[in-house]
Amino acid sequence: MAEPGGNGRAPATSHADPRGDPFLRTQFAVPARPVTFLRRDRLAGHLDEALLTPLTVVHGAAGAGKTLLAADWASTRDEPVAWLTAQVADKGGGTFWAYLLEALRLAGVTTSADAGLPAEAGRADDRLLTRLAAELSTRNTPVILVVDEYDRVTDPEIADQLEFVLRQAGHGMRLVLVTRTEPLLPLHRYRAAGTITEIRNAELAFTPGEAAALLALHGLRLPADDVGALVERTRGWAAGLRLCALAAQGETDPRTFLKEFEADRTTIADFLLAEVLKRQTAGTQDLLLRVSVLERFCPDLANALTGRTDAERVLTALHGQNAFVEYLGHAWFRLHPLFGEILRAHLRVRSPELEAELHRRAARWLRRSGSLGEALGHAAAAEDWETAARAVIGDLALGEVFTGLHCDDLSRLFSRMGPEPASAATDLVRAACELSRCEVARGSSRLRRAAQALAAQAGPADGDPADLAATRLSCAFLETLVARLTGAPAQAERAARFAEQVRRDVPDALLEAHPELIALLLTHLGSARLWAGRVRDARAALTTVVDSSGTGATQQARRECLGHLALIDYLRGWPGRAERTALATVTAADRGGPPPAPGPGLASLVLAAVAVERDELDRAQALLDAAVDARHPPPDPVTQAGRAIVTGRILLARGDPQAALEAADRAVVADVASPWAEAHTASVAAAAHLAEGRPEMAVKLLQDAPGDEPVCLVGAAQAELAAGRFEAAAELLDRMRPQGDLGPAITVRAALVRARLAGEDGDHAAQRGLVSRALREARRERLRRPFAEAGPWLRTLPLGALAEGWLIRCGPTRRGSPARAGEQPAPPVVEELSGRERDVLRRLAQMMPTEEIAADLYVSVNTVKTHLKSVYRKLAVNRRHDAVRRARELGLL
């Protein structure tokens, strides 16, 4: 080694550092790329911008692929590239600069003897740095200096000196720093000036396409979904993907391995524990292990789990070091998924009893902060079901078990709860879950036990007053629901009154945060009132929910209320109004094209009933099918009764009175009878008896129905008329006069009965006037069914223009020939023939007997008879010959 010169500087020919040790040649070697290295053009293209800016920083986590990226890029450059791995940065500034100068020399960048070399290991002379910068600034072609592992440079003096040389070298040098952490340089200046190129951790992450290409280099070809899942789990982390690919190569089923591998049992765990966890201090390691039980965390939550106060500083530092702590914004962080898995496994080994306690602490903190969902997850993870139940009840969130927003999550979570513990809170949660599945008996039993436990609590001394009030309100809410499901309106009223009392003691913030509970309570109360026949009071409760500001939490309650209000409109005889109300349950986002069915529930039942009134029987059947969820029975008596009534009316319209009678006879189990349900089922049953020629039975059924329900009065008048008791029929209709707000579905039928009575009295002018009035009222609502039910006498009347286009078909009476002057218009056609009915009709026109029609269509004789019966009804005839003639008049043959 040459002797130092008189100026104290080592000569430029030295090949040793200031300590006299030879240079470690590995520090200047560009790392070799493995055979399975994947060149990513998007990153290489971005790195090309390093030639345009003096400073480039590639910073990412351990194993992010930053070194291999820089090495691959450097190997393709025509410009001189000096490579230095900064492992010697902790040996002092002089040593670092000696290595950096040697890297430049090996790249062909020579410095003059006047620049010299560092003479001391601990420092570099300012004069040396000034002369180096001056010489570099004179270069025509810039030298590219890549400093790998720059995160090892922790001495601010080295960083200041490097920044000085970079700034003074100007165009003569391009500095590329490869680092795990943000370097000790004034990056804000470069960013403000736009003179820095940065490739960060997120950009280094593999895309699904790149991951698929990398796996293919390892001989693995996976479906796109599997690759996407692997990228999601690894967050595109280069080392994780490579280690997974290497491990999968030795598996008989690589696809299953990559789906299900346990991170803590792979080389990934060894890598992260060695490269990330063990590099931290003992205190930081403890913090990382404790927060590993969390999906996300903020400094305050981390402090609650660790008992320390400096989590914000530690987490910020870890994020800045790319230590697999991701920043989510708004002071929240999370661990890289694989790192989290490994830390949790490590925690169970080191402190197996600690995990449950950490979950309990997290649950308490998260509940106080308002994060109920996360709090419940941690309470369940600790199997602390008492805390979980108290959180749901105390936060007034029990309604979420029913709303559809989180009901599935809550049901799954609490399905893991065993028989213990048993408290008011746990019994209420169990009852809610069972009632949501319509397990009324079990839910009611739990609810009674919870109510007894609450009654034994004397007052606030037994617990937090707000929690106690919320628990009592939740209990009253469930009692109202049970009353609705069992048809017990008096019980619903008592529970609602108690709820109103305890509601005053519940903090407004809780009521505002969970409006669904009160909305559902009013829905149940309205349904119970409707079952009792207290229509005005029911409408008041239901309208309160509908008129309240709609939120996602109350949307389900609002839809249920609209379904009940639609039913009220239908029962009062207003099908058009009922239809509009029922369709309002379909949100604006659901609309587009023809109005869709609202799905299972009361609204679809009402729409089916309206379709029957319009004699759209196929649509009615489809809506009835949509209204009933085969997996779940109708939840309450209102819906059960509605289903029976609509089913019976469809069967009546299809000409099957016996089946209609069976549908009407289906018992609805309830604590008290419903006047409207009894009246309408009696009406269906009476119509079935009347269709089969038993008017006396129909009269008796309707006489036994409760009160003066309009539908019963009209039905009884029809039955009395069929029995030939005209005065009795008129008296029944007269009893309807005091009734107000009756819609056309009732008044049209009443008008048609009066018209027939007028005809029997010989008052044909009055008869025509009543029929005309009925047509005018029915036309607005497109009501066809009342005219189909009126009987053959109506066909003798000229219905005229009031019936054209919606009730009867007008036009040619025979193919191609116009109707003759003075010819009677065709009788009403209220329903299209089905395809099979047309097949039967065509064979009927060929004079084929019933047996031949059956053989020709490959169906039974009884099936043909059923189709014939339906054809006769739809064409308003009674014989084969008349059916063929009528079909030809209508152009059907």
Side-chain angles (χ1 to χ4, degrees):
M1 179 175 166
E3 295 294 328
N7 59 2
R9 291 179 281 106
T13 58
S14 172
H15 296 290
D17 65 26
R19 300 170 301 172
D21 294 331
F23 287 119
L24 299 173
R25 294 299 167 184
T26 55
Q27 304 303 293
F28 311 115
V30 177
R33 277 80 65 210
V35 175
T36 55
F37 173 76
L38 177 71
R39 175 171 293 162
R40 295 187 279 169
D41 292 336
R42 64 179 178 88
L43 294 178
H46 193 176
L47 203 48
D48 283 341
E49 296 177 16
L51 302 176
L52 306 176
T53 59
L55 177 62
T56 296
V57 179
V58 182
H59 50 118
K66 52 191 181 298
T67 296
L68 289 180
L69 167 67
D72 181 62
W73 178 79
S75 67
T76 64
R77 307 312 315 162
D78 294 329
E79 303 86 355
V81 176
W83 186 281
L84 173 63
T85 301
Q87 291 180 356
V88 295
D90 59 346
K91 306 301 182 184
T95 303
F96 173 81
W97 280 102
Y99 267 82
L100 190 148
L101 289 168
E102 180 67 5
L104 291 172
R105 186 187 70 79
L106 291 173
V109 180
T110 57
T111 56
S112 65
D114 192 44
L117 292 170
E120 301 176 24
R123 59 180 293 275
D125 193 282
D126 289 344
R127 191 174 173 188
L128 180 152
L129 301 175
T130 301
R131 295 192 178 193
L132 172 62
E135 292 187 16
L136 288 173
S137 68
T138 63
R139 292 181 58 85
N140 294 324
T141 302
V143 60
I144 299 171
L145 173 61
V146 180
V147 182
D148 190 20
E149 298 187 28
Y150 186 77
D151 46 280
R152 293 177 179 269
V153 176
T154 58
D155 185 348
E157 184 179 13
I158 296 177
D160 290 344
Q161 291 170 342
L162 186 60
E163 201 271 329
F164 167 78
V165 172
L166 175 63
R167 186 160 25 91
Q168 300 303 325
H171 182 72
M173 186 173 77
R174 295 288 181 259
L175 178 62
V176 178
L177 302 180
V178 181
T179 174
R180 293 187 184 182
T181 63
E182 194 160 283
L184 291 173
L185 289 176
L187 299 186
H188 60 282
R189 295 179 189 167
Y190 290 90
R191 288 167 180 157
T195 55
I196 184 173
T197 298
E198 290 186 270
I199 298 180
R200 297 175 175 271
N201 202 53
E203 190 177 352
L204 290 167
F206 274 65
T207 66
E210 292 168 347
L214 178 67
L215 293 171
L217 289 174
H218 289 79
L220 303 171
R221 286 173 174 78
L222 272 65
D225 289 347
D226 291 353
V227 174
L230 182 61
V231 169
E232 177 63 25
R233 189 176 178 191
T234 60
R235 293 281 197 274
W237 177 43
L241 289 169
R242 288 193 178 93
L243 291 172
C244 284
L246 289 169
Q249 284 180 320
E251 296 291 326
T252 55
D253 186 357
R255 183 181 177 187
T256 300
F257 171 80
L258 290 173
K259 278 184 178 180
E260 302 175 358
F261 73 88
E262 298 178 47
D264 60 298
R265 298 178 183 273
T266 64
T267 52
I268 297 174
D270 299 334
F271 182 95
L272 288 174
L273 291 175
E275 293 294 326
V276 182
L277 185 64
K278 291 180 181 178
R279 287 190 173 207
Q280 310 302 328
T281 64
T284 301
Q285 288 185 36
D286 180 69
L287 182 146
L288 286 169
L289 288 170
R290 286 171 179 257
V291 299
S292 68
V293 302
L294 302 167
E295 288 293 325
R296 61 179 192 133
F297 44 88
C298 64
D300 286 345
L301 177 53
N303 285 333
L305 266 60
T306 60
R308 55 199 294 169
T309 59
D310 61 346
E312 183 173 10
R313 176 185 61 77
V314 175
L315 293 173
T316 302
L318 288 169
H319 173 65
Q321 296 166 15
N322 287 309
F324 292 84
V325 175
E326 303 171 4
Y327 183 61
L328 302 176
H330 304 289
W332 284 87
F333 299 83
R334 71 178 174 191
L335 295 175
H336 185 285
L338 291 179
F339 194 35
E341 287 181 49
I342 292 161
L343 289 175
R344 285 190 291 277
H346 206 52
L347 174 67
R348 294 184 190 113
V349 172
R350 286 179 49 170
S351 306
E353 75 292 340
L354 182 58
E355 187 174 7
E357 175 59 25
L358 292 173
H359 281 298
R360 276 191 288 271
R361 291 186 193 180
R364 290 194 291 269
W365 189 94
L366 286 163
R367 186 192 168 189
R368 288 195 303 272
S369 70
S371 301
L372 177 63
E374 291 177 277
L376 292 177
H378 286 289
E383 296 189 350
D384 187 351
W385 298 109
E386 180 67 28
T387 294
R390 284 182 180 275
V392 171
I393 302 297
D395 280 26
L396 211 66
L398 195 63
E400 291 191 8
V401 174
F402 304 91
T403 58
L405 296 174
H406 306 294
C407 60
D408 291 339
D409 294 338
L410 288 173
S411 296
R412 279 194 298 268
L413 185 141
F414 283 105
S415 67
R416 294 153 46 194
M417 179 169 57
E420 299 296 335
S423 67
T426 55
D427 278 337
L428 285 175
V429 170
R430 289 188 183 99
C433 292
E434 287 159 355
L435 291 172
S436 71
R437 299 190 295 268
C438 292
E439 297 174 7
V440 181
R442 294 182 62 185
S444 299
S445 175
R446 303 266 194 200
L447 183 57
R448 283 193 297 273
R449 193 165 71 179
Q452 291 167 359
L454 283 173
Q457 292 184 250
D462 291 329
D464 180 71
D467 275 1
L468 183 57
T471 305
R472 287 175 169 165
L473 180 57
S474 298
C475 185
F477 157 67
L478 291 181
E479 287 174 338
T480 312
L481 170 58
V482 169
R484 170 191 175 179
L485 296 176
T486 57
Q491 179 184 331
E493 294 292 347
R494 286 194 299 271
R497 283 195 298 270
F498 181 71
E500 189 60 33
Q501 293 173 9
V502 298
R503 178 180 175 180
R504 301 168 191 149
D505 298 326
V506 178
D508 290 340
L510 282 183
L511 293 168
E512 292 169 2
H514 292 284
E516 70 278 355
L517 189 132
I518 298 299
L520 287 169
L521 188 150
L522 289 173
T523 304
H524 305 328
L525 177 62
S527 182
R529 286 175 173 175
L530 176 57
W531 179 251
R534 296 169 52 198
V535 174
R536 182 176 299 177
D537 293 337
R539 192 188 292 274
L542 299 168
T543 304
T544 299
V545 178
V546 172
D547 290 346
S548 63
S549 56
T551 65
T554 61
Q555 197 63 244
Q556 180 171 317
R558 186 173 182 275
R559 290 185 179 189
E560 282 196 56
C561 288
L562 285 167
H564 282 76
L565 290 170
L567 178 61
I568 291 173
D569 288 334
Y570 170 75
L571 294 175
R572 301 303 294 172
W574 295 96
R577 188 189 299 171
E579 180 184 51
R580 290 189 294 274
T581 305
L583 287 175
T585 63
V586 181
T587 62
D590 297 331
R591 296 192 186 278
L602 202 52
S604 287
L605 278 176
V606 172
L607 290 175
V610 172
V612 173
E613 290 297 318
R614 293 170 179 167
D615 226 24
E616 300 166 351
L617 300 186
D618 289 341
R619 173 171 165 75
Q621 186 63 56
L623 286 164
L624 177 62
D625 294 341
V628 179
D629 187 342
R631 297 169 299 175
H632 305 289
D636 57 25
V638 170
T639 309
Q640 292 173 34
R643 178 185 177 187
I645 292 165
V646 175
T647 302
R649 294 209 180 280
I650 291 175
L651 292 169
L652 277 175
R654 290 198 182 280
D656 195 345
Q658 186 57 42
L661 194 61
E662 292 173 3
D665 285 344
R666 289 175 190 157
V668 176
V669 179
D671 285 7
V672 300
S674 170
W676 63 263
E678 287 195 343
H680 278 263
T681 51
S683 172
V684 170
H689 285 300
L690 199 58
E692 295 198 328
R694 297 189 292 270
E696 297 296 342
M697 182 66 74
V699 169
K700 184 178 184 309
L701 272 174
L702 294 168
Q703 284 176 343
D704 294 340
D708 282 347
E709 285 284 335
V711 67
C712 287
L713 293 174
V714 174
Q718 289 172 326
E720 294 284 12
L721 190 59
R725 294 189 287 269
F726 304 145
E727 289 184 6
E731 288 174 5
L732 288 166
L733 294 177
D734 289 342
R735 286 163 58 183
M736 288 180 56
R737 286 176 180 170
Q739 303 264 359
D741 191 35
L742 292 182
I746 296 172
T747 58
V748 166
R749 284 181 169 86
L752 290 175
V753 175
R754 289 186 186 279
R756 185 178 173 190
L757 286 171
E760 295 291 343
D761 288 341
D763 191 347
H764 298 293
Q767 184 182 54
R768 286 193 296 272
L770 286 165
V771 171
S772 295
R773 190 181 79 186
L775 285 168
R776 282 193 296 271
E777 289 188 37
R779 184 166 189 161
R780 289 192 295 270
E781 301 273 359
R782 305 197 312 279
L783 298 180
R784 302 183 182 91
R785 194 73 224 150
F787 299 93
E789 296 170 350
W793 66 272
L794 188 60
R795 301 184 198 116
T796 65
L797 299 178
L799 301 182
L802 285 172
E804 291 179 9
W806 69 280
L807 185 61
I808 64 172
R809 296 186 181 196
C810 296
T813 58
R814 290 177 177 81
R815 293 183 184 181
S817 62
R820 292 187 294 273
E823 197 173 63
Q824 178 72 22
V829 174
V830 295
E831 186 182 352
E832 293 289 339
L833 298 181
S834 69
R836 182 59 76 178
E837 289 165 353
R838 286 174 180 267
D839 291 339
V840 171
L841 184 60
R842 282 193 289 269
R843 286 160 178 77
L844 207 64
Q846 297 169 16
M847 305 301 290
M848 293 174 64
T850 303
E851 292 75 9
E852 288 186 22
I853 295 175
D856 199 40
L857 293 176
Y858 298 99
V859 296
S860 69
V861 172
N862 285 337
T863 299
V864 173
K865 289 180 179 179
T866 300
H867 288 315
L868 284 173
K869 189 176 182 180
S870 181
V871 169
Y872 294 163
R873 176 182 60 80
K874 291 180 179 181
L875 297 179
V877 297
N878 295 312
R879 296 180 301 179
R880 285 175 166 240
H881 175 75
D882 293 338
V884 173
R885 177 182 57 77
R886 177 84 175 96
R888 285 177 173 150
E889 288 174 352
L890 295 171
L892 300 177
L893 290 173

